[in-house]
Amino acid sequence: MYLEADVDTARLIDQQVTILGYGSQGRAHALNLRDSGFNVVVGLRRDGASWSKAKADGLVVKEPNTAVKGAAIVAFLTPDMVQKKLYAAVVDDIADGSALLFAHGFAVHFKLIEPRADLDVVLIAPKGPGGLVRRQYEEGRGVPCLVAVHQDATGNALPLALAYSAGIGGARAGVIQTTFAEETETDLFGEQAVLCGGATELIVAGYETLVAAGYQPEVAYYEVMHELKLIVDLLHEGGLHKMHKFISDTAAWGDMVSGPRVVNASSRAAMQTVLTEIQDGTFARNWIAESKAGMPRFREMMNADLEHPIEKVGADLRSRMDWLEE
Ligand code: NAD
Ligand code: MG
């Protein structure tokens, strides 16, 4: 694990770092790097919604082609599906021997981008959303990061990436070395099987089971959606050990005898299939095709998610939880 002491930030201090995209990660990286003393330029479309936001934050904002000129590092912090087109649009303006940086390996690992041979190609992936990357930095802390090198044209790719990770605060928390393949495949698997797909499906299935059995929707909501945060906080702070210390013996016994009946051999087989389809490129191919088609299924499934009865009950109950506004 690399810490701040292992990093030479001086190698970036007088150089230009260009951030393409100003969304969740882009804004956090740009502001943190600027506050760390780096020379930051943000590259955005002039008619896009982020342009005025980045300006209002006091950053230098240019159109992508102009923004990449003279940059030591060009960070691609736009949605993954946009990166191929954006790379094609700016590649001729990127200086010889500069570096491309990604926060997720998707576009490079699945060969949507095949970078010029003279460029370093690195990954700094914060293990948290952009808002947290910014907030932790402002509090003098940092979100841990992964670092990887896909192409080391200059022989300096790793120290350069580490300097960037220190600039966004990641080196305060620790930076672990990985590969583009490992970061991309585990990240996709995590969000699909556990974090986003798995967890929400578990919540909704639990809610539907209780409501179908005649229990009140409000009680079901508190039980399977609201209280999940308390458990996740315990897991986050102290793993299974801390959770078991704080829940009742009855809850622990129920966890151990019933958990494996819900997430059972067939759920595990499904997880393996999800992983295989990530590894063999099936998932990427389908997602790229969906994106090219204008995302009809994406929108249809998203609407179904957002129109689920648990959303209405939840909005009602949450409107009475004053503390959520903070
Ligand atoms: P986002 O959707 O929040 O932001 C997208 C930004 O890109 C916006 O500023 C938008 O205006 C800009 N943009 C869109 N199209 C553009 C174009 N053609 N030219 C220039 N700018 C354009 O994106 P995000 O969620 O921050 O994701 C950025 C990268 O970070 C992705 O590779 C993602 O996988 C990775 N990542 C995200 C998170 C996260 O928490 N959101 C965490 C780790 C890694
Ligand atoms: Mg879901």
Side-chain angles (χ1 to χ4, degrees), residues 243-267:
M243 184 199 74
H244 278 303
K245 221 168 106 186
F246 280 82
I247 64 176
S248 68
D249 283 352
T250 308
W253 169 249
D255 158 347
M256 294 181 288
V257 296
S258 295
R261 293 198 293 158
V262 175
V263 181
N264 54 24
S266 96
S267 326

Side-chain angles (χ1 to χ4, degrees), residues 45-295:
R45 294 162 299 176
R46 195 175 279 276
D47 55 353
S50 308
W51 180 280
S52 51
K53 197 166 181 211
K55 278 262 182 207
D57 286 336
L59 290 157
V60 178
V61 189
K62 300 178 179 173
E63 300 213 43
N65 282 87
T66 323
V68 301
K69 287 194 176 121
I73 296 186
V74 178
F76 282 76
L77 302 180
T78 65
D80 298 303
M81 289 301 126
V82 172
Q83 291 176 7
K84 177 189 168 100
K85 225 173 140 183
L86 186 58
Y87 174 74
V90 299
V91 61
D92 293 338
D93 295 305
I94 299 176
D96 287 355
S98 97
L100 307 183
L101 183 140
F102 297 85
H104 177 39
F106 195 100
V108 170
H109 178 64
F110 291 114
K111 298 193 163 51
L112 291 170
I113 294 178
E114 299 195 59
R116 255 170 39 199
D118 63 292
L119 302 172
D120 290 342
V121 181
V122 300
L123 173 96
I124 291 293
K127 292 281 98 185
L132 189 69
V133 171
R134 179 59 181 158
R135 210 156 56 243
Q136 290 290 311
Y137 180 89
E138 289 179 307
E139 289 170 9
R141 300 195 289 250
V143 169
C145 293
L146 300 180
V147 62
V149 175
H150 172 75
Q151 190 165 288
D152 190 2
T154 65
N156 278 316
L158 181 63
L160 193 74
L162 289 173
Y164 182 102
S165 78
I168 64 170
R172 294 170 178 168
V175 182
I176 293 177
Q177 190 149 11
T178 180
T179 61
F180 271 64
E182 183 176 69
E183 186 278 336
T184 305
E185 291 167 3
T186 56
D187 193 73
L188 292 172
F189 177 79
E191 66 202 17
Q192 292 177 29
V194 181
L195 305 176
C196 308
T200 58
E201 219 49 44
L202 196 63
I203 291 168
V204 169
Y207 176 86
E208 288 177 355
T209 302
L210 286 174
V211 172
Y215 297 103
Q216 298 179 69
E218 291 79 5
V219 174
Y221 173 85
Y222 278 130
E223 197 47 57
V224 302
M225 176 94 92
H226 177 81
E227 284 196 40
L228 186 62
K229 169 163 172 43
L230 313 175
I231 298 301
V232 169
D233 283 349
L234 293 171
L235 294 170
H236 185 79
E237 289 159 16
L240 298 177
H241 179 85
K242 182 156 185 184
M243 184 199 74
H244 278 303
K245 221 168 106 186
F246 280 82
I247 64 176
S248 68
D249 283 352
T250 308
W253 169 249
D255 158 347
M256 294 181 288
V257 296
S258 295
R261 293 198 293 158
V262 175
V263 181
N264 54 24
S266 96
S267 326
R268 283 169 184 262
M271 275 191 177
Q272 181 54 58
T273 304
V274 166
L275 181 57
T276 303
E277 290 182 5
I278 290 167
Q279 291 168 327
D280 70 14
T282 305
F283 171 79
R285 228 175 8 261
N286 290 342
W287 174 217
I288 292 162
E290 172 70 12
S291 170
K292 279 199 177 128
M295 311 225 272

Side-chain angles (χ1 to χ4, degrees), residues 4 7 9 12-13 28-38 124 133-134 137 160-172:
E4 271 188 321
V7 181
T9 48
L12 261 187
I13 229 77
H29 292 213
L31 294 176
N32 291 4
L33 290 165
R34 178 197 66 190
D35 293 347
S36 294
F38 297 162
I124 291 293
V133 171
R134 179 59 181 158
Y137 180 89
L160 193 74
L162 289 173
Y164 182 102
S165 78
I168 64 170
R172 294 170 178 168

